[in-house]
Amino acid sequence: MDADASACLVPPLLLQPLIENAVTHGIARLLEGGLIRVDVTRRNGQLAIVVENPCETDAASARPGGVGLDNVRGRLDAMFGREARVDARVEHGRFFVELRLPATQD
């Protein structure tokens, strides 16, 4: 987490389904397991949160989004409209979910 992002607010339980998906659909299916990385940065009034985990490439590309991702998208849309977005992709055996939302502080 970069220092500029540490004071930003994130809606409660927004990251929980993303971490749960990273475990259930990512590292739990790999014999070698893996690490989940969460990267948080703040730039130009936006908070960017990236959840990254290793995955089986075939399984991840067959199902690019599910209930957890849809719920996160719906919550962000209800709270921030076009000011927020959720993107998911698979690259080189890793699954990435990137959230962008307005950087708000308490």
Side-chain angles (χ1 to χ4, degrees), residues 38-103:
V38 180
D39 185 52
V40 184
T41 57
R42 179 182 180 176
R43 283 190 206 109
N44 301 322
Q46 286 275 305
L47 186 66
I49 303 169
V50 179
V51 178
E52 171 190 350
N53 60 276
C55 64
E56 290 180 346
T57 306
D58 294 338
S61 60
R63 189 168 185 235
V67 174
L69 281 174
D70 287 345
N71 286 342
V72 169
R73 281 187 182 101
R75 289 185 63 205
L76 287 178
D77 185 51
M79 295 179 80
F80 302 110
R82 293 181 183 255
E83 294 182 67
R85 60 187 260 191
V86 178
D87 295 309
R89 68 186 187 283
V90 178
E91 289 180 9
H92 309 290
R94 301 195 65 77
F95 191 81
F96 296 83
V97 176
E98 182 174 354
L99 309 178
R100 297 241 178 212
L101 57 145

